[in-house]
Amino acid sequence: MHTSRSTPIVSVDVVLLTLFQGKLQAALHMRGRPPFQGCLALPGGYVHPEEDATAEDTARRVLREKTGVEPRYLEQLGTFAGAARDPRGWSAAISHVALMPHEDLRQSGGEVFHFYDVDQLPELAFDHSEQIRAAAERVRNKASYSTLPCWLLPEQFTLTQLQRTYEQIFGETVSRGTFRSRLGIKVGDMNPGEAVDQADILIATDQFQGGSQRPARLFRVNRLSLFKRACW
Amino acid sequence: MHTSRSTPIVSVDVVLLTLFQGKLQAALHMRGRPPFQGCLALPGGYVHPEEDATAEDTARRVLREKTGVEPRYLEQLGTFAGAARDPRGWSAAISHVALMPHEDLRQSGGEVFHFYDVDQLPELAFDHSEQIRAAAERVRNKASYSTLPCWLLPEQFTLTQLQRTYEQIFGETVSRGTFRSRLGIKVGDMNPGEAVDQADILIATDQFQGGSQRPARLFRVNRLSLFKRACW
DNA sequence: CAAATAGTGTCTCTGAGACAGTATCTA
DNA sequence: TAGATACTGTCTCAGAGACACTATTTG
Protein backbone atom coordinates (compact mmCIF):
# COMPACT_ATOMS: atom_id res chain seq x y z
CA MET A 1 0.00 0.00 0.00
CA HIS A 2 1.15 3.50 -0.71
CA THR A 3 -0.02 6.76 0.77
CA SER A 4 -2.80 8.59 -1.04
CA ARG A 5 -1.38 11.27 -3.26
CA SER A 6 -2.65 13.83 -5.72
CA THR A 7 -3.34 12.37 -9.15
CA PRO A 8 -1.56 14.00 -12.11
CA ILE A 9 -3.14 16.94 -13.90
CA VAL A 10 -4.90 15.84 -17.11
CA SER A 11 -5.33 18.04 -20.16
CA VAL A 12 -6.22 17.51 -23.81
CA ASP A 13 -4.15 18.93 -26.67
CA VAL A 14 -4.98 19.05 -30.37
CA VAL A 15 -2.52 19.04 -33.26
CA LEU A 16 -4.65 20.66 -35.95
CA LEU A 17 -3.08 20.03 -39.35
CA THR A 18 -3.95 21.53 -42.69
CA LEU A 19 -2.44 21.92 -46.13
CA PHE A 20 -1.37 25.51 -46.69
CA GLN A 21 1.13 26.97 -49.13
CA GLY A 22 1.78 23.49 -50.43
CA LYS A 23 2.97 22.23 -47.06
CA LEU A 24 1.55 20.33 -44.12
CA GLN A 25 1.11 23.01 -41.45
CA ALA A 26 0.08 23.05 -37.79
CA ALA A 27 -2.22 25.59 -36.12
CA LEU A 28 -0.59 27.43 -33.20
CA HIS A 29 -1.62 30.29 -30.96
CA MET A 30 0.15 32.57 -28.51
CA ARG A 31 -0.30 31.62 -24.86
CA GLY A 32 -1.79 34.39 -22.74
CA ARG A 33 -1.07 32.82 -19.36
CA PRO A 34 1.85 31.24 -17.58
CA PRO A 35 3.51 28.86 -17.78
CA PHE A 36 5.11 29.60 -21.15
CA GLN A 37 3.24 32.93 -21.41
CA GLY A 38 3.89 34.51 -24.81
CA CYS A 39 5.06 31.23 -26.32
CA LEU A 40 3.46 29.59 -29.31
CA ALA A 41 1.46 26.52 -28.31
CA LEU A 42 -1.08 23.99 -29.49
CA PRO A 43 -4.76 24.54 -28.75
CA GLY A 44 -5.76 22.57 -25.69
CA GLY A 45 -7.67 22.64 -22.45
CA TYR A 46 -8.87 20.79 -19.40
CA VAL A 47 -11.48 18.09 -19.29
CA HIS A 48 -14.95 19.26 -18.21
CA PRO A 49 -16.27 16.07 -16.62
CA GLU A 50 -19.92 17.10 -16.82
CA GLU A 51 -19.82 18.18 -20.46
CA ASP A 52 -17.32 15.76 -21.98
CA ALA A 53 -18.19 12.06 -22.03
CA THR A 54 -14.79 11.14 -23.49
CA ALA A 55 -11.40 12.73 -24.15
CA GLU A 56 -12.34 13.02 -27.82
CA ASP A 57 -15.35 15.10 -26.77
CA THR A 58 -12.97 17.42 -24.96
CA ALA A 59 -10.88 17.77 -28.10
CA ARG A 60 -13.99 18.55 -30.17
CA ARG A 61 -15.17 21.12 -27.65
CA VAL A 62 -11.77 22.84 -27.57
CA LEU A 63 -11.75 23.03 -31.37
CA ARG A 64 -15.32 24.31 -31.48
CA GLU A 65 -14.50 27.04 -28.97
CA LYS A 66 -11.35 28.14 -30.81
CA THR A 67 -12.31 27.70 -34.47
CA GLY A 68 -16.10 27.60 -34.48
CA VAL A 69 -16.14 24.53 -36.72
CA GLU A 70 -16.00 20.74 -36.48
CA PRO A 71 -12.86 19.00 -37.75
CA ARG A 72 -13.25 16.76 -40.79
CA TYR A 73 -11.16 14.08 -39.05
CA LEU A 74 -10.14 13.50 -35.44
CA GLU A 75 -8.25 10.69 -33.75
CA GLN A 76 -6.27 10.23 -30.58
CA LEU A 77 -2.53 10.47 -31.10
CA GLY A 78 -1.29 9.31 -27.70
CA THR A 79 -0.59 10.64 -24.25
CA PHE A 80 2.45 12.70 -23.38
CA ALA A 81 2.96 12.32 -19.66
CA GLY A 82 5.67 12.74 -17.07
CA ALA A 83 7.30 14.86 -14.43
CA ALA A 84 9.37 17.06 -16.73
CA ARG A 85 6.97 18.43 -19.34
CA ASP A 86 5.17 21.02 -17.15
CA PRO A 87 6.91 23.12 -14.47
CA ARG A 88 3.81 22.82 -12.28
CA GLY A 89 4.35 19.08 -11.75
CA TRP A 90 3.54 15.63 -13.07
CA SER A 91 1.04 15.99 -15.89
CA ALA A 92 -0.58 14.03 -18.69
CA ALA A 93 -1.69 15.55 -22.00
CA ILE A 94 -3.99 13.37 -24.09
CA SER A 95 -3.00 14.50 -27.57
CA HIS A 96 -5.18 14.33 -30.69
CA VAL A 97 -4.68 14.87 -34.41
CA ALA A 98 -7.30 16.83 -36.32
CA LEU A 99 -7.43 17.39 -40.07
CA MET A 100 -9.25 20.24 -41.82
CA PRO A 101 -9.17 21.94 -45.20
CA HIS A 102 -7.61 25.35 -44.81
CA GLU A 103 -10.67 27.16 -46.18
CA ASP A 104 -12.75 25.99 -43.23
CA LEU A 105 -10.36 27.79 -40.88
CA ARG A 106 -10.21 31.02 -42.85
CA GLN A 107 -13.95 31.62 -42.74
CA SER A 108 -14.38 30.69 -39.08
CA GLY A 109 -15.09 33.44 -36.58
CA GLY A 110 -12.82 31.98 -33.91
CA GLU A 111 -9.36 32.69 -32.61
CA VAL A 112 -6.60 33.67 -34.99
CA PHE A 113 -4.15 30.87 -35.53
CA HIS A 114 -0.64 31.05 -36.90
CA PHE A 115 0.34 28.27 -39.26
CA TYR A 116 3.79 26.71 -39.37
CA ASP A 117 5.28 24.06 -41.62
CA VAL A 118 5.56 20.92 -39.49
CA ASP A 119 9.11 20.49 -40.78
CA GLN A 120 10.21 23.99 -39.77
CA LEU A 121 8.85 24.64 -36.31
CA PRO A 122 9.83 27.52 -34.04
CA GLU A 123 10.32 27.08 -30.28
CA LEU A 124 7.08 25.91 -28.68
CA ALA A 125 5.65 25.58 -25.18
CA PHE A 126 5.77 22.31 -23.23
CA ASP A 127 6.51 19.26 -25.40
CA HIS A 128 4.34 20.58 -28.23
CA SER A 129 7.12 20.27 -30.84
CA GLU A 130 7.37 16.59 -30.03
CA GLN A 131 3.60 16.22 -30.31
CA ILE A 132 3.58 17.84 -33.75
CA ARG A 133 6.46 15.66 -34.91
CA ALA A 134 4.57 12.57 -33.77
CA ALA A 135 1.37 13.81 -35.43
CA ALA A 136 3.11 14.48 -38.76
CA GLU A 137 4.73 11.07 -38.67
CA ARG A 138 1.38 9.44 -37.95
CA VAL A 139 -0.36 11.31 -40.77
CA ARG A 140 2.39 10.62 -43.32
CA ASN A 141 2.48 6.99 -42.34
CA LYS A 142 -1.27 6.49 -42.53
CA ALA A 143 -1.46 8.49 -45.75
CA SER A 144 0.85 5.94 -47.38
CA TYR A 145 -1.71 3.17 -47.10
CA SER A 146 -5.11 4.80 -46.65
CA THR A 147 -7.55 7.48 -47.75
CA LEU A 148 -6.60 9.74 -44.83
CA PRO A 149 -5.55 12.67 -47.09
CA CYS A 150 -9.18 13.03 -48.26
CA TRP A 151 -9.93 14.74 -44.97
CA LEU A 152 -7.53 17.55 -45.76
CA LEU A 153 -9.84 18.49 -48.66
CA PRO A 154 -13.39 19.85 -48.75
CA GLU A 155 -16.16 17.28 -48.88
CA GLN A 156 -16.13 17.17 -52.68
CA PHE A 157 -12.89 17.12 -54.66
CA THR A 158 -11.44 16.10 -58.02
CA LEU A 159 -8.94 13.30 -58.46
CA THR A 160 -6.29 15.81 -59.46
CA GLN A 161 -6.81 17.75 -56.22
CA LEU A 162 -6.49 14.51 -54.27
CA GLN A 163 -3.30 13.65 -56.15
CA ARG A 164 -1.82 17.08 -55.31
CA THR A 165 -2.71 16.45 -51.66
CA TYR A 166 -0.79 13.18 -51.55
CA GLU A 167 2.11 14.81 -53.36
CA GLN A 168 2.27 17.71 -50.92
CA ILE A 169 2.19 15.41 -47.90
CA PHE A 170 5.14 13.41 -49.19
CA GLY A 171 6.94 16.03 -51.26
CA GLU A 172 7.08 13.71 -54.26
CA THR A 173 5.26 13.74 -57.57
CA VAL A 174 3.75 10.81 -59.43
CA SER A 175 2.20 10.30 -62.85
CA ARG A 176 -1.57 10.55 -63.18
CA GLY A 177 -1.93 6.99 -64.38
CA THR A 178 0.08 5.59 -61.54
CA PHE A 179 -1.89 7.53 -58.98
CA ARG A 180 -5.21 6.31 -60.34
CA SER A 181 -4.14 2.69 -60.55
CA ARG A 182 -2.97 2.87 -56.92
CA LEU A 183 -6.49 3.82 -55.93
CA GLY A 184 -7.93 1.16 -58.24
CA ILE A 185 -10.12 3.76 -59.88
CA LYS A 186 -11.69 3.83 -63.30
CA VAL A 187 -14.04 6.76 -63.46
CA GLY A 188 -15.91 5.41 -66.47
CA ASP A 189 -16.98 2.31 -64.59
CA MET A 190 -18.95 4.37 -62.09
CA ASN A 191 -22.62 5.16 -62.52
CA PRO A 192 -22.88 8.90 -62.10
CA GLY A 193 -25.36 8.73 -59.22
CA GLU A 194 -23.89 6.86 -56.28
CA ALA A 195 -21.55 4.32 -57.81
CA VAL A 196 -18.52 3.26 -55.82
CA ASP A 197 -15.24 1.88 -57.11
CA GLN A 198 -14.43 -1.74 -56.46
CA ALA A 199 -12.53 -1.16 -53.24
CA ASP A 200 -15.23 1.11 -51.79
CA ILE A 201 -12.68 3.87 -51.56
CA LEU A 202 -14.37 6.82 -53.23
CA ILE A 203 -17.93 7.70 -54.16
CA ALA A 204 -18.50 9.40 -57.49
CA THR A 205 -20.92 12.31 -57.38
CA ASP A 206 -22.82 13.59 -60.41
CA GLN A 207 -21.15 16.98 -59.99
CA PHE A 208 -18.36 18.28 -62.20
CA GLN A 209 -15.89 21.08 -61.77
CA GLY A 210 -15.21 23.01 -64.94
CA GLY A 211 -12.68 25.56 -66.08
CA SER A 212 -11.66 26.23 -69.65
CA GLN A 213 -10.94 22.53 -70.21
CA ARG A 214 -12.63 19.18 -69.89
CA PRO A 215 -14.58 19.18 -66.58
CA ALA A 216 -13.42 16.83 -63.82
CA ARG A 217 -15.78 14.63 -61.88
CA LEU A 218 -16.13 15.43 -58.18
CA PHE A 219 -15.76 12.67 -55.59
CA ARG A 220 -16.56 12.15 -51.95
CA VAL A 221 -14.69 9.80 -49.64
CA ASN A 222 -16.69 6.86 -48.34
CA ARG A 223 -14.89 6.01 -45.12
CA LEU A 224 -11.30 5.59 -43.99
CA SER A 225 -10.21 2.65 -46.13
CA LEU A 226 -6.86 0.93 -46.06
CA PHE A 227 -4.96 -0.19 -49.14
CA LYS A 228 -3.41 -3.62 -49.29
CA ARG A 229 0.08 -2.36 -49.95
CA ALA A 230 1.88 0.71 -48.72
CA CYS A 231 2.75 3.18 -51.44
CA TRP A 232 5.05 6.20 -51.49
CA MET B 1 -13.29 30.80 -17.34
CA HIS B 2 -14.72 27.79 -15.60
CA THR B 3 -14.81 26.88 -11.94
CA SER B 4 -11.91 24.84 -10.61
CA ARG B 5 -12.80 21.17 -10.48
CA SER B 6 -11.13 17.91 -9.60
CA THR B 7 -8.97 16.53 -12.37
CA PRO B 8 -9.76 12.99 -13.60
CA ILE B 9 -8.17 9.97 -11.94
CA VAL B 10 -5.18 8.72 -13.93
CA SER B 11 -4.02 5.12 -13.97
CA VAL B 12 -1.74 3.01 -16.15
CA ASP B 13 -2.80 -0.37 -17.57
CA VAL B 14 -0.68 -2.96 -19.34
CA VAL B 15 -1.84 -5.45 -21.96
CA LEU B 16 0.83 -8.13 -21.57
CA LEU B 17 0.78 -10.41 -24.61
CA THR B 18 2.57 -13.68 -25.14
CA LEU B 19 2.42 -16.67 -27.45
CA PHE B 20 1.01 -19.68 -25.59
CA GLN B 21 -0.59 -22.84 -26.90
CA GLY B 22 -0.09 -21.55 -30.42
CA LYS B 23 -2.23 -18.46 -29.80
CA LEU B 24 -1.71 -14.82 -28.92
CA GLN B 25 -2.77 -14.64 -25.26
CA ALA B 26 -3.21 -11.85 -22.70
CA ALA B 27 -2.18 -11.99 -19.04
CA LEU B 28 -5.07 -11.38 -16.62
CA HIS B 29 -5.45 -11.53 -12.86
CA MET B 30 -8.40 -11.61 -10.47
CA ARG B 31 -9.19 -8.27 -8.84
CA GLY B 32 -9.11 -8.36 -5.04
CA ARG B 33 -10.74 -4.98 -4.46
CA PRO B 34 -13.82 -3.14 -5.67
CA PRO B 35 -14.82 -1.94 -8.13
CA PHE B 36 -15.15 -5.14 -10.17
CA GLN B 37 -13.93 -7.25 -7.23
CA GLY B 38 -13.53 -10.87 -8.32
CA CYS B 39 -13.46 -9.95 -12.01
CA LEU B 40 -10.58 -10.71 -14.32
CA ALA B 41 -8.61 -7.60 -15.18
CA LEU B 42 -5.41 -6.32 -16.75
CA PRO B 43 -2.43 -5.54 -14.52
CA GLY B 44 -2.34 -1.83 -13.77
CA GLY B 45 -1.79 0.77 -11.11
CA TYR B 46 -1.54 4.42 -10.22
CA VAL B 47 1.27 6.76 -11.12
CA HIS B 48 3.81 7.35 -8.34
CA PRO B 49 4.95 10.86 -9.21
CA GLU B 50 8.17 10.64 -7.20
CA GLU B 51 9.25 7.29 -8.59
CA ASP B 52 7.98 7.40 -12.17
CA ALA B 53 9.42 9.98 -14.53
CA THR B 54 7.04 8.98 -17.33
CA ALA B 55 3.94 6.86 -17.83
CA GLU B 56 6.11 4.18 -19.42
CA ASP B 57 8.10 4.06 -16.17
CA THR B 58 4.86 3.39 -14.33
CA ALA B 59 4.07 0.54 -16.71
CA ARG B 60 7.54 -0.95 -16.18
CA ARG B 61 7.23 -0.67 -12.42
CA VAL B 62 3.81 -2.35 -12.41
CA LEU B 63 5.17 -5.21 -14.51
CA ARG B 64 8.24 -5.55 -12.31
CA GLU B 65 6.08 -5.72 -9.19
CA LYS B 66 3.71 -8.32 -10.67
CA THR B 67 6.02 -10.48 -12.76
CA GLY B 68 9.49 -9.80 -11.40
CA VAL B 69 10.91 -9.32 -14.90
CA GLU B 70 11.36 -6.64 -17.53
CA PRO B 71 9.27 -6.92 -20.70
CA ARG B 72 11.15 -7.53 -23.95
CA TYR B 73 9.07 -4.83 -25.65
CA LEU B 74 6.88 -2.02 -24.35
CA GLU B 75 5.01 0.77 -26.08
CA GLN B 76 2.10 3.04 -25.32
CA LEU B 77 -1.16 1.88 -26.86
CA GLY B 78 -3.37 4.88 -26.18
CA THR B 79 -5.52 6.35 -23.46
CA PHE B 80 -8.96 5.07 -22.61
CA ALA B 81 -10.77 7.91 -20.91
CA GLY B 82 -14.28 9.00 -20.11
CA ALA B 83 -17.12 9.22 -17.64
CA ALA B 84 -18.52 5.74 -18.16
CA ARG B 85 -15.60 3.33 -17.81
CA ASP B 86 -15.21 3.48 -14.01
CA PRO B 87 -18.16 3.70 -11.58
CA ARG B 88 -16.11 6.02 -9.35
CA GLY B 89 -16.18 8.81 -11.94
CA TRP B 90 -14.34 10.33 -14.90
CA SER B 91 -11.05 8.49 -15.35
CA ALA B 92 -8.20 8.06 -17.79
CA ALA B 93 -6.21 4.84 -18.21
CA ILE B 94 -2.95 5.21 -20.13
CA SER B 95 -2.74 1.77 -21.73
CA HIS B 96 0.44 0.03 -22.85
CA VAL B 97 1.28 -3.11 -24.82
CA ALA B 98 4.04 -5.36 -23.53
CA LEU B 99 5.48 -8.41 -25.29
CA MET B 100 7.28 -11.29 -23.58
CA PRO B 101 8.18 -14.88 -24.35
CA HIS B 102 6.00 -17.16 -22.27
CA GLU B 103 8.99 -18.87 -20.60
CA ASP B 104 9.98 -15.60 -18.94
CA LEU B 105 6.64 -15.52 -17.17
CA ARG B 106 6.63 -19.13 -16.04
CA GLN B 107 9.90 -18.83 -14.16
CA SER B 108 9.08 -15.50 -12.55
CA GLY B 109 8.37 -15.41 -8.83
CA GLY B 110 5.52 -12.91 -9.19
CA GLU B 111 1.79 -13.01 -9.21
CA VAL B 112 0.00 -15.87 -10.93
CA PHE B 113 -1.57 -14.79 -14.19
CA HIS B 114 -4.27 -16.49 -16.16
CA PHE B 115 -3.80 -16.47 -19.93
CA TYR B 116 -6.63 -16.07 -22.39
CA ASP B 117 -6.68 -16.17 -26.18
CA VAL B 118 -7.18 -12.57 -27.30
CA ASP B 119 -9.86 -13.80 -29.71
CA GLN B 120 -11.87 -15.61 -27.00
CA LEU B 121 -12.01 -13.34 -24.01
CA PRO B 122 -14.25 -13.81 -20.95
CA GLU B 123 -16.01 -10.88 -19.27
CA LEU B 124 -13.47 -8.40 -17.96
CA ALA B 125 -13.41 -5.43 -15.61
CA PHE B 126 -13.72 -1.84 -16.86
CA ASP B 127 -13.05 -1.48 -20.61
CA HIS B 128 -10.25 -4.04 -20.50
CA SER B 129 -11.74 -6.18 -23.29
CA GLU B 130 -11.62 -3.17 -25.56
CA GLN B 131 -8.03 -2.46 -24.57
CA ILE B 132 -7.01 -6.02 -25.40
CA ARG B 133 -8.82 -5.88 -28.74
CA ALA B 134 -6.99 -2.67 -29.58
CA ALA B 135 -3.67 -4.16 -28.47
CA ALA B 136 -4.12 -7.30 -30.57
CA GLU B 137 -5.05 -5.20 -33.58
CA ARG B 138 -1.97 -3.02 -33.08
CA VAL B 139 0.35 -6.02 -32.73
CA ARG B 140 -1.08 -7.85 -35.75
CA ASN B 141 -0.91 -4.71 -37.81
CA LYS B 142 2.69 -3.88 -36.87
CA ALA B 143 3.70 -7.52 -37.26
CA SER B 144 2.65 -7.36 -40.90
CA TYR B 145 5.37 -4.85 -41.76
CA SER B 146 8.01 -5.09 -39.03
CA THR B 147 10.17 -7.26 -36.84
CA LEU B 148 7.83 -6.85 -33.87
CA PRO B 149 7.21 -10.62 -33.47
CA CYS B 150 10.89 -11.10 -32.53
CA TRP B 151 10.05 -9.75 -29.09
CA LEU B 152 7.66 -12.61 -28.44
CA LEU B 153 10.66 -14.96 -28.59
CA PRO B 154 13.69 -15.37 -26.32
CA GLU B 155 16.72 -13.28 -27.21
CA GLN B 156 18.11 -15.96 -29.52
CA PHE B 157 15.91 -17.88 -31.92
CA THR B 158 16.02 -19.84 -35.17
CA LEU B 159 14.43 -18.68 -38.39
CA THR B 160 11.93 -21.52 -38.18
CA GLN B 161 10.85 -20.41 -34.68
CA LEU B 162 10.42 -16.88 -36.00
CA GLN B 163 8.37 -18.18 -38.91
CA ARG B 164 6.09 -20.12 -36.52
CA THR B 165 5.65 -16.93 -34.51
CA TYR B 166 4.45 -14.96 -37.51
CA GLU B 167 2.18 -17.83 -38.49
CA GLN B 168 0.64 -18.05 -35.03
CA ILE B 169 -0.03 -14.33 -34.90
CA PHE B 170 -1.88 -14.39 -38.20
CA GLY B 171 -3.20 -17.95 -38.21
CA GLU B 172 -1.81 -18.56 -41.69
CA THR B 173 1.08 -20.65 -42.92
CA VAL B 174 3.66 -19.76 -45.54
CA SER B 175 6.42 -21.63 -47.34
CA ARG B 176 9.94 -21.45 -45.89
CA GLY B 177 11.38 -19.84 -49.00
CA THR B 178 8.74 -17.16 -49.13
CA PHE B 179 9.21 -16.31 -45.47
CA ARG B 180 12.96 -15.94 -45.85
CA SER B 181 12.71 -13.82 -48.97
CA ARG B 182 10.27 -11.51 -47.18
CA LEU B 183 12.93 -10.89 -44.57
CA GLY B 184 15.57 -10.53 -47.29
CA ILE B 185 17.73 -13.11 -45.57
CA LYS B 186 20.34 -15.41 -46.98
CA VAL B 187 22.02 -17.14 -44.09
CA GLY B 188 25.04 -18.18 -46.14
CA ASP B 189 25.93 -14.56 -46.90
CA MET B 190 26.46 -13.79 -43.23
CA ASN B 191 29.80 -14.01 -41.51
CA PRO B 192 29.26 -16.19 -38.48
CA GLY B 193 30.49 -13.59 -36.00
CA GLU B 194 28.34 -10.47 -36.14
CA ALA B 195 27.21 -10.23 -39.72
CA VAL B 196 23.93 -8.52 -40.44
CA ASP B 197 21.64 -9.06 -43.40
CA GLN B 198 21.31 -6.30 -45.96
CA ALA B 199 18.30 -4.64 -44.38
CA ASP B 200 19.82 -4.68 -40.87
CA ILE B 201 16.92 -6.77 -39.68
CA LEU B 202 18.56 -9.67 -37.91
CA ILE B 203 22.00 -10.36 -36.48
CA ALA B 204 23.46 -13.81 -36.99
CA THR B 205 25.09 -15.30 -33.93
CA ASP B 206 27.72 -18.05 -34.07
CA GLN B 207 25.43 -20.30 -32.03
CA PHE B 208 23.50 -23.20 -33.47
CA GLN B 209 20.57 -25.15 -32.11
CA GLY B 210 20.81 -28.87 -32.84
CA GLY B 211 18.44 -31.77 -32.62
CA SER B 212 18.62 -34.94 -34.55
CA GLN B 213 18.90 -33.02 -37.80
CA ARG B 214 20.92 -30.29 -39.39
CA PRO B 215 21.46 -27.58 -36.75
CA ALA B 216 19.81 -24.20 -37.31
CA ARG B 217 21.62 -20.94 -36.87
CA LEU B 218 20.46 -18.76 -33.98
CA PHE B 219 19.67 -15.09 -34.57
CA ARG B 220 19.13 -11.97 -32.51
CA VAL B 221 16.99 -9.02 -33.55
CA ASN B 222 18.83 -5.77 -34.13
CA ARG B 223 16.13 -3.17 -33.58
CA LEU B 224 12.50 -2.66 -34.57
CA SER B 225 12.81 -2.39 -38.34
CA LEU B 226 10.05 -1.73 -40.81
CA PHE B 227 9.67 -3.51 -44.14
CA LYS B 228 8.93 -1.56 -47.27
CA ARG B 229 5.80 -3.50 -48.07
CA ALA B 230 3.16 -4.97 -45.83
CA CYS B 231 2.94 -8.74 -46.00
CA TRP B 232 0.34 -11.16 -44.72
C1' DC C 1 -8.90 24.26 -84.42
C1' DA C 2 -5.63 25.27 -80.59
C1' DA C 3 -4.93 24.91 -75.74
C1' DA C 4 -5.62 22.75 -71.54
C1' DT C 5 -6.77 19.33 -68.45
C1' DA C 6 -9.39 14.71 -67.77
C1' DG C 7 -9.23 10.01 -68.29
C1' DT C 8 -7.37 5.29 -70.22
C1' DG C 9 -4.68 1.49 -72.51
C1' DT C 10 -0.19 -0.70 -72.91
C1' DC C 11 4.35 -2.21 -71.99
C1' DT C 12 8.12 -3.30 -68.97
C1' DC C 13 10.28 -4.87 -65.09
C1' DT C 14 10.49 -5.88 -60.28
C1' DG C 15 9.42 -8.78 -56.73
C1' DA C 16 6.26 -12.22 -54.19
C1' DG C 17 5.44 -16.91 -53.74
C1' DA C 18 5.35 -22.00 -55.02
C1' DC C 19 8.30 -25.79 -55.60
C1' DA C 20 11.89 -28.67 -55.98
C1' DG C 21 16.56 -29.35 -55.24
C1' DT C 22 20.92 -29.41 -52.15
C1' DA C 23 23.24 -29.44 -47.41
C1' DT C 24 24.14 -31.20 -42.87
C1' DC C 25 23.09 -33.19 -38.80
C1' DT C 26 21.65 -37.96 -35.74
C1' DA C 27 20.90 -42.81 -35.38
C1' DT D 1 22.35 -44.78 -45.52
C1' DA D 2 17.79 -43.37 -44.00
C1' DG D 3 15.35 -39.75 -41.94
C1' DA D 4 14.70 -35.18 -40.64
C1' DT D 5 15.15 -30.47 -40.88
C1' DA D 6 18.01 -26.35 -42.68
C1' DC D 7 18.89 -23.64 -46.45
C1' DT D 8 18.79 -21.98 -51.54
C1' DG D 9 18.02 -21.41 -56.66
C1' DT D 10 14.55 -21.10 -60.28
C1' DC D 11 10.30 -20.22 -62.53
C1' DT D 12 5.90 -17.97 -62.99
C1' DC D 13 2.68 -14.58 -62.63
C1' DA D 14 0.59 -10.32 -60.76
C1' DG D 15 1.01 -5.64 -60.00
C1' DA D 16 3.58 -0.98 -59.88
C1' DG D 17 4.90 2.67 -62.65
C1' DA D 18 6.32 5.26 -67.04
C1' DC D 19 4.45 6.88 -71.18
C1' DA D 20 1.74 7.87 -74.84
C1' DC D 21 -2.79 8.02 -76.61
C1' DT D 22 -7.83 9.49 -76.60
C1' DA D 23 -11.74 12.54 -74.76
C1' DT D 24 -14.05 16.82 -73.73
C1' DT D 25 -14.37 21.27 -72.54
C1' DT D 26 -13.43 26.84 -73.60
C1' DG D 27 -12.07 30.58 -76.63
Side-chain angles (χ1 to χ4, degrees), chain A residues 34 172 186 188 202 212 217:
Chain A
E172 283 177 55
K186 280 186 195 163
L202 296 181
S212 50
R217 186 182 287 278

Side-chain angles (χ1 to χ4, degrees), chain B residues 158-160 180 187 206-219:
Chain B
T158 67
L159 291 183
T160 302
R180 284 157 135 90
V187 176
D206 51 1
Q207 310 277 94
F208 287 81
Q209 175 178 291
S212 49
Q213 74 285 343
R214 173 172 173 176
R217 187 183 285 279
L218 288 165
F219 290 83

Side-chain angles (χ1 to χ4, degrees), chain B residues 5-23:
Chain B
R5 54 184 86 234
S6 63
T7 188
I9 301 158
V10 178
S11 63
V12 171
D13 287 335
V14 183
V15 182
L16 173 56
L17 297 177
T18 208
L19 275 183
F20 183 43
Q21 299 167 331
K23 300 284 180 68

Side-chain angles (χ1 to χ4, degrees), chain A residues 11-38:
Chain A
S11 62
V12 171
D13 287 336
V14 182
V15 182
L16 172 56
L17 298 177
T18 210
L19 276 182
F20 182 45
Q21 298 167 330
K23 299 284 180 69
L24 196 58
Q25 306 216 356
L28 298 168
H29 75 282
M30 196 76 85
R31 276 182 69 84
R33 290 185 298 186
F36 294 103
Q37 185 164 19

Side-chain angles (χ1 to χ4, degrees), chain B residues 151-221:
Chain B
W151 282 275
L152 286 164
L153 289 170
E155 204 170 322
Q156 299 201 349
F157 48 84
T158 67
L159 291 183
T160 302
Q161 285 168 351
L162 184 58
Q163 182 176 343
R164 296 283 167 270
T165 302
Y166 275 93
E167 289 173 345
Q168 286 170 6
I169 291 173
F170 294 107
E172 282 176 57
T173 59
V174 73
S175 81
R176 223 177 15 255
T178 300
F179 178 74
R180 284 157 135 90
S181 68
R182 276 181 188 172
L183 267 63
I185 286 183
K186 279 185 197 163
V187 176
D189 293 354
M190 302 176 171
N191 299 324
E194 273 295 319
V196 176
D197 67 303
Q198 288 158 337
D200 273 11
I201 291 178
L202 297 181
I203 298 177
T205 69
D206 51 1
Q207 310 277 94
F208 287 81
Q209 175 178 291
S212 49
Q213 74 285 343
R214 173 172 173 176
R217 187 183 285 279
L218 288 165
F219 290 83
R220 290 188 297 114
V221 65

Side-chain angles (χ1 to χ4, degrees), chain A residues 145-147 159 162 166 175-190 195-204 219 225-229 231-232:
Chain A
Y145 62 89
S146 78
T147 48
L159 291 182
L162 184 57
Y166 276 93
S175 82
R176 217 171 27 249
T178 300
F179 178 75
R180 284 156 135 92
S181 67
R182 277 181 189 173
L183 267 62
I185 286 183
K186 280 186 195 163
V187 176
D189 292 356
M190 303 176 170
V196 177
D197 68 302
Q198 287 159 337
D200 273 11
I201 291 176
L202 296 181
I203 298 176
F219 290 83
S225 23
L226 308 182
F227 309 151
K228 274 191 189 161
R229 306 182 156 306
C231 309
W232 259 284

